[in-house]
C-alpha cells in the first residue's frame, strides 16, 4: 500500500481528482484536479512515468475569456492519447464544457476545444464526465464521449446532455439530451462496454421518486435506448444522503451520484456492467452495488463496505480490470473513529458476488484541515482506475498536511 502526496509542495487547495493510465505503458499515468495553487480556481495537471512514485505538476491553460475552471475528468485511449474535460466559468456565469487532448503520452496538450458554450446564468453547463472507448471488442475504439448537466438559471431544473467526438476530442458533434428536461440532476456517469456499448446513468432527485436510471447506446453513441420520450431504464430506487452528512463538525457537501464500471475482459463475466452509489436507506450513508449482464436487467442493490452501522461511507468510484474483470470501488469513510476520514477500497474477484474491504489511506484526516470552522467543500468526487493488468490506481484528496491535497494510492 503506497500513498504519494502529489501536491504536497504546492500552496492552495487541490480537490476533485481524476486519473487515467496508459494501458500499453502502465507506468505512465496522468491526473487532474481543481487546483488553487496560483490563487485562481484552475485545472491542475499531474503526470507520473514511474507508476505513481513521483509526479510532475503544472496548470493547464485557460481558454480565452474564462477566469476559472473546475470539475476536471481525464481518460486514455490508444496508443498515447490522454483527454481532459473541464468546466470553464466566470464567477457563477457562462458555464462551458471544454476538452484538452494530448497525443504524446501527456507531455503536451493541444489548446482547449469548446464542447458546449454557456451563456450567463441562463445556460450553465456543469459537471462534465468523460469516457473513451478502448474495448478490444469494439468497432468504435477511440471514440470519446462526454456527459454534462446544463443548469437553467442555476436552479434545480437540469437535464443530462451527451456529446461524442470521433477524432479524439479535436471536434465534437451536436448534443443529445439524455434525460427529461425538468429534472433535478447532478453528475452523470459514463462507461463503455465490451462491444462498444455506451452506458450513461444518473440519479433523479427532486420531489418525486429518487431513482437511478440508465440509457444504452449499441451504436457508439448515435442512438440510445429507450428513446428519451419514453424516459430511461430503471436501475434502482435510491435514498439520497443528507448534505452535509449528520456528523457534528461536518459542513461539506455530499452528492448522491452514480459511478459505472464495465467488464471488457475476456473473462467469464466479460460484458457485465456495474453501478455503485452512496445511499441512506440504512439510516446512514453506505455504498450500494448493482450489476447487470446487459444494462437492462439489474440485480437487487447490496451494501458492499462491511462498515459499522452508523458510519458514513460516500463518494464511491468504480474501476474494473480490463485483464481479468476484478471490480474495485474506492470510497470515503469515517468508519475508524466516527469523524476523521479515510479512503477504503472494496474488491471483488467474482463479479460483485462478494467483496473484501481494505484501508487505502495510510492516515486518517480531519476533513476541515486547519480551518477553525467546518469547511463547506472537499470536492464532489474521487476516482479509481486500473493500472494494467490488475493493480488499483486511485486518487483522492485529504487534509493530512492541513490543506486539501491530491493523494495517489494503490
Amino acid at each position: 500500500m503506497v500513498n504519494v502526496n502529489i501536491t504536497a509542495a504546492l500552496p492552495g487547495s487541490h480537490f476533485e481528482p481524476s486519473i487515467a493510465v496508459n494501458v500499453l505503458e502502465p507506468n505512465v499515468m496522468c491526473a487532474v484536479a481543481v487546483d488553487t495553487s496560483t490563487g485562481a480556481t484552475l485545472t491542475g495537471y499531474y503526470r507520473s512515468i514511474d507508476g505513481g512514485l513521483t509526479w510532475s505538476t503544472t496548470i493547464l491553460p485557460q481558454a480565452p475569456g474564462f477566469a476559472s475552471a473546475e470539475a476536471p475528468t481525464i481518460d486514455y485511449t490508444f496508443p498515447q492519447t490522454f483527454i481532459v474535460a473541464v468546466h470553464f466559468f466566470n464567477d457563477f456565469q457562462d458555464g462551458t464544457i471544454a476538452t484538452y487532448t494530448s497525443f504524446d503520452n501527456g507531455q503536451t496538450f493541444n489548446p482547449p476545444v469548446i464542447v458546449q458554450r454557456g451563456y450567463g446564468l441562463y445556460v450553465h453547463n456543469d459537471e462534465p464526465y468523460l469516457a473513451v472507448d478502448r474495448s478490444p471488442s469494439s468497432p468504435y475504439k477511440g471514440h470519446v464521449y462526454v456527459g454534462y448537466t446544463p443548469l437553467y438559471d442555476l436552479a434545480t431544473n437540469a437535464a443530462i446532455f451527451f456529446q461524442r467526438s470521433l477524432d479524439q476530442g479535436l471536434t465534437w458533434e451536436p448534443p443529445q439530451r439524455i434525460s427529461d428536461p425538468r429534472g433535478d440532476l447532478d453528475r452523470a456517469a459514463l462507461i463503455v462496454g465490451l462491444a462498444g456499448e455506451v452506458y450513461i446513468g444518473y440519479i433523479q432527485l427532486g420531489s418525486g421518486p429518487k431513482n437511478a436510471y440508465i440509457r444504452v447506446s449499441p451504436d457508439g453513441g448515435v442512438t440510445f435506448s429507450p428513446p428519451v420520450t419514453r424516459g430511461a431504464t430503471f436501475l434502482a430506487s435510491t435514498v439520497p444522503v443528507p448534505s452535509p452528512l449528520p456528523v457534528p463538525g461536518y459542513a461539506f457537501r455530499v452528492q448522491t451520484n452514480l459511478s459505472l464500471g464495465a467488464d471488457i475482459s475476456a473473462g467469464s463475466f466479460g460484458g457485465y456492467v456495474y453501478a455503485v452509489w452512496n445511499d441512506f436507506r440504512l439510516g446512514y450513508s453506505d455504498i450500494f452495488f448493482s450489476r447487470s449482464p446487459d444494462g437492462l436487467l439489474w440485480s437487487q442493490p447490496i451494501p458492499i463496505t462491511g462498515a459499522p452501522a452508523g458510519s458514513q461511507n460516500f463518494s464511491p468510484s468504480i474501476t474494473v480490470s480490463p485483464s481479468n474483470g476484478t471490480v474495485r470501488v474506492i470510497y470515503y469513510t469515517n468508519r475508524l473513529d466516527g469523524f476523521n476520514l479515510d479512503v477504503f477500497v472494496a474488491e471483488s474477484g467474482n463479479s460483485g458476488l462478494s467483496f473484501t474491504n481494505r484501508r487505502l489511506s495510510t492516515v486518517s484526516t480531519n476533513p476541515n484541515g486547519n480551518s477553525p470552522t467546518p469547511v463547506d467543500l472537499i470536492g464532489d468526487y474521487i476516482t479509481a482506475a486500473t493500472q494494467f493488468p490488475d493493480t488499483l490506481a486511485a486518487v483522492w484528496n485529504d487534509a493530512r498536511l492541513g490543506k486539501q491535497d491530491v493523494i495517489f494510492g494503490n
Side-chain angles (χ1 to χ4, degrees):
M1 180 172 60
V2 173
N3 282 193
V4 177
N5 192 327
I6 295 173
T7 59
L10 300 176
S13 295
H14 315 84
F15 53 92
E16 295 186 340
S18 176
I19 188 171
V21 183
N22 186 325
V23 174
L24 305 178
E25 302 174 68
N27 280 335
V28 177
M29 49 186 67
C30 302
V32 288
V34 178
D35 191 311
T36 69
S37 58
T38 61
T41 304
L42 301 173
T43 303
Y45 171 66
Y46 323 115
R47 180 174 184 260
S48 175
I49 58 173
D50 57 11
L53 297 178
T54 61
W55 296 79
S56 61
T57 64
T58 190
I59 299 290
L60 293 180
Q62 289 286 100
F66 295 98
S68 303
E70 65 169 4
T73 177
I74 189 169
D75 207 356
Y76 159 83
T77 190
F78 305 110
Q80 294 185 324
T81 300
F82 287 89
I83 304 170
V84 176
V86 299
H87 164 222
F88 288 139
F89 62 101
N90 293 305
D91 235 353
F92 291 105
Q93 299 190 3
D94 308 320
T96 292
I97 308 302
T99 56
Y100 305 80
T101 301
S102 170
F103 294 105
D104 59 6
N105 241 0
Q107 296 182 71
T108 61
F109 280 86
N110 288 355
V113 173
I114 301 300
V115 179
Q116 193 62 217
R117 183 75 165 80
Y119 299 96
L121 291 174
Y122 187 70
V123 178
H124 189 88
N125 301 301
D126 200 356
E127 307 209 55
Y129 190 85
L130 186 77
V132 181
D133 187 339
R134 54 179 177 271
S135 172
S137 303
S138 171
Y140 312 111
K141 279 189 294 294
H143 283 196
V144 186
Y145 309 108
V146 65
Y148 56 94
T149 309
L151 308 175
Y152 302 98
D153 199 24
L154 291 186
T156 55
N157 257 350
I160 301 300
F161 275 50
F162 167 91
Q163 289 181 241
R164 69 173 195 162
S165 172
L166 308 186
D167 54 13
Q168 300 182 331
L170 297 182
T171 61
W172 290 87
E173 294 183 346
Q176 298 184 55
R177 180 169 55 81
I178 295 296
S179 69
D180 189 293
R182 294 166 295 276
D184 183 359
L185 303 161
D186 288 321
R187 197 185 195 207
L190 271 171
I191 199 67
V192 180
L194 180 64
E197 313 96 328
V198 182
Y199 300 91
I200 183 164
Y202 54 91
I203 294 178
Q204 179 76 54
L205 302 172
S207 58
K210 314 298 192 292
N211 295 330
Y213 296 100
I214 196 163
R215 297 185 69 212
V216 184
S217 172
D219 51 16
V222 176
T223 61
F224 282 85
S225 178
V228 71
T229 53
R230 289 170 43 205
T233 298
F234 176 81
L235 193 157
S237 61
T238 70
V239 179
V241 302
S243 181
L245 292 166
V247 176
Y250 282 10
F252 55 85
R253 179 175 72 190
V254 178
Q255 294 184 339
T256 300
N257 289 333
L258 282 178
S259 179
L260 297 177
D263 189 340
I264 62 171
S265 76
S268 56
F269 298 104
Y272 267 71
V273 191
Y274 308 107
V276 292
W277 65 96
N278 42 251
D279 193 293
F280 211 70
R281 70 184 65 193
L282 301 177
Y284 57 94
S285 183
D286 209 352
I287 309 303
F288 276 73
F289 169 90
S290 181
R291 68 177 195 154
S292 171
D294 55 9
L296 299 176
L297 300 174
W298 289 85
S299 65
Q300 186 69 22
I302 59 170
I304 62 172
T305 68
S311 62
Q312 306 297 337
N313 311 275
F314 57 99
S315 296
S317 176
I318 188 170
T319 183
V320 183
S321 167
S323 173
N324 62 8
T326 300
V327 179
R328 295 184 174 91
V329 182
I330 67 169
Y331 56 94
Y332 282 128
T333 179
N334 69 353
R335 66 193 294 165
L336 296 186
D337 72 2
F339 183 84
N340 289 322
L341 294 180
D342 277 275
V343 172
F344 271 57
V345 56
E347 298 172 302
S348 175
N350 57 9
S351 187
L353 298 178
S354 62
F355 283 87
T356 59
N357 283 260
R358 63 181 174 92
R359 188 185 185 193
L360 191 56
S361 53
T362 54
V363 296
S364 303
T365 67
N366 184 329
N368 302 315
N370 288 335
S371 173
T373 57
V375 300
D376 60 3
L377 183 68
I378 64 170
D380 293 328
Y381 56 86
I382 56 180
T383 307
T386 299
Q387 183 183 20
F388 192 84
D390 190 28
T391 300
L392 176 65
V395 283
W396 67 93
N397 49 282
D398 70 32
R400 63 185 65 190
L401 298 182
K403 62 187 180 76
Q404 290 293 332
D405 276 314
V406 174
I407 313 298
F408 167 82
N410 56 16

